[in-house]
Amino acid sequence: MPDFETLLNVQCMMFILMGLGLLLCRLGILGAQQKKGLSDLVLKVILPCNIVNSFRIAFGREIFLSFSQILLVSVLVQLFCLLLSRLLYRRLSPERQAVLTYGTICSNAGLIGNPIAEGLYGAQGLLYASIYLVPQRVVMWSAGLHCFTREKDYKRSIQKVLTHPCIIAVFVGLMLMLTQLQLPAVLDRTLKSLSGCNTALSMIAVGAILGEVNPREAVNRQIAAYTLLRLVGIPLVVFCGCLLAGLDPVVTGVSVILAGMPAGSTTAILAASYRGDAAFASKCVFFSTLCSLFSVPLWCAALLLAA
């Protein structure tokens, strides 16, 4: 039986942290310079540590064979989302196109999806979720990062992507996962400590950016359409595809739940760091996360009926 209490607690925690960031912004504690520093801290230190730590799972040959299905599903989902983003947002301004493209290919599956997968399917669900996230993390810090850098010089763009702290963290994480190399105890504890700050600092940073947004302008047609696509359209395609392919119910469940996650907090953080439309990005994160309070439990119920 799904642990809906865990699901609601995680999502409510995110709103409390965003509310704290908004309050700190309104009180003047987080000014423009402090918000920029906080975003840089998350992007260049905390998030890379979180990425490396997320790859540190048991990954032997038998596990690789067992998880080949969900790895394939994840790759196909990323390709599908990349294709969607190329087709849907061509007529928008470059700033909004970057936000919606990134938000389509990169969700908050790592933050919210892992505890939900574990609540639904126990340790097996958590392991499947970790494998599912590998392709998304690679795309997030390659094609995803390119959405905001928008370099016309592709050689320079590739160089910037490959030297970004988060993509370096992906390579380091993959190496640790494939070699099963154990870090010294002091490095292990330091990495886990910094990684544990990711949720709080990321959502506070998003809330601080949201502090600049007029509440009356929190939702528009573009944000509503994006949210519908992110929370309903994409997971519906994944759900139907998995059923038609006759995949294992746990593989199907984890894939659908993670495909139906809201916009990642890094959408707003990257927009702020690269002078994109940070306010629009924050609205996408806020509204899609709010709507996911209703959509995710409905997907959980649908998976139970289909099992």
Side-chain angles (χ1 to χ4, degrees), residues 57-67 177-178 180:
I57 57 173
F59 199 72
R61 182 175 179 276
E62 291 182 4
I63 294 177
F64 175 77
L65 293 174
S66 299
F67 292 167
M177 181 177 68
L178 294 174
Q180 293 295 292

Side-chain angles (χ1 to χ4, degrees), residues 10 18 20 23 62 81 94 98 107 113 123 127-128 132 138 147 165 172-173 199-200 210 215 253 288-289 302:
V10 170
M18 279 196 290
L20 177 59
L23 179 63
E62 291 182 4
C81 290
S107 71
L127 285 173
Y128 277 26
Y132 181 96
V138 174
C147 295
V172 172
T199 300
L210 196 63
S288 62
T289 304

Side-chain angles (χ1 to χ4, degrees), residues 160-232:
K160 277 191 172 183
V161 168
L162 292 177
T163 57
H164 192 278
C166 289
I167 197 65
I168 292 174
V170 171
F171 292 139
V172 172
L174 281 170
M175 182 193 70
L176 292 176
M177 181 177 68
L178 294 174
T179 63
Q180 293 295 292
L181 181 67
Q182 299 299 312
L183 297 176
V186 63
L187 290 180
D188 179 72
R189 296 189 66 176
T190 301
L191 182 67
K192 289 180 179 177
S193 179
L194 289 170
S195 174
C197 299
N198 181 60
T199 300
L201 290 182
S202 294
M203 298 318 297
I204 289 173
V206 171
I209 296 169
L210 196 63
E212 303 172 358
V213 176
N214 186 339
R216 296 180 180 180
E217 302 174 355
V219 184
N220 58 34
R221 289 184 179 180
Q222 288 178 353
I223 294 173
Y226 162 75
T227 298
L228 187 64
L229 175 68
R230 178 74 264 173
L231 301 182
V232 179

Side-chain angles (χ1 to χ4, degrees), residues 63-98:
I63 294 177
F64 175 77
L65 293 174
S66 299
F67 292 167
S68 59
Q69 279 189 345
I70 198 160
L71 189 65
L72 177 60
V73 170
S74 180
V75 170
L76 292 175
V77 170
Q78 289 303 126
L79 292 174
F80 174 67
C81 290
L82 281 167
L83 178 62
L84 274 182
S85 65
R86 296 286 185 184
L87 297 174
L88 296 178
Y89 311 127
R90 289 180 293 181
R91 297 182 180 181
L92 301 180
S93 66
E95 291 77 13
R96 293 201 171 184
Q97 187 180 51

Side-chain angles (χ1 to χ4, degrees), residues 233-299:
I234 294 173
L236 180 61
V237 171
V238 175
F239 182 62
C240 294
C242 289
L243 289 182
L244 289 174
L247 297 184
D248 177 79
V250 179
V251 171
T252 299
V254 172
S255 299
V256 171
I257 290 300
L258 296 189
M261 290 293 106
S265 56
T266 47
T267 311
I269 293 172
L270 284 170
S273 297
Y274 292 98
R275 299 180 182 179
D277 195 338
F280 178 73
S282 295
K283 294 174 189 177
C284 289
V285 174
F286 176 81
F287 188 68
S288 62
T289 304
L290 177 64
C291 291
S292 71
L293 288 168
F294 307 97
S295 66
V296 175
L298 289 175
W299 277 118

